[in-house]
Amino acid sequence: MRIGVVAAEAAFASFARSIDFDEVAAGDLDFEGSIGAADWPVFRLVLDTLAAPAGQGDTRTLDERRADALNDLARICLAAKNTR
């Protein structure tokens, strides 16, 4: 299943509105955020779509795939912004 850029941007914007970053080590960040109940279904759909296993050999846990999916989501939004 492919997600649209508009859905990705909406999901990321919802997450980014309430995110706090803390530096935990040189170059490493810890972050915490919240998403409202109205925004959660779209965010979860986008995140879980991006976090789908990359084939039978994908041994990452769901948490690891979701972390990678957040990176992918940010890249999708940045790429979309740079093409406008």
Side-chain angles (χ1 to χ4, degrees), residues 55-61 64-65:
Q56 291 181 352
D58 190 349
T59 59
R60 297 173 297 158
T61 66
E64 290 170 330
R65 293 193 321 265

Side-chain angles (χ1 to χ4, degrees), residues 20-41:
D20 292 319
F21 293 97
D22 292 314
E23 188 169 349
V24 292
D28 290 339
L29 294 174
D30 184 28
F31 63 89
E32 183 176 317
S34 63
I35 297 174
D39 294 324
W40 174 243

Side-chain angles (χ1 to χ4, degrees), residues 44-79:
R44 182 175 181 185
L45 174 65
V46 170
L47 189 66
D48 286 349
T49 298
L50 291 171
Q56 291 181 352
D58 190 349
T59 59
R60 297 173 297 158
T61 66
L62 178 59
D63 286 343
E64 290 170 330
R65 293 193 321 265
R66 281 183 169 162
D68 292 341
L70 281 173
N71 287 327
D72 292 343
L73 181 55
R75 287 184 185 103
I76 289 167
C77 294
L78 183 60

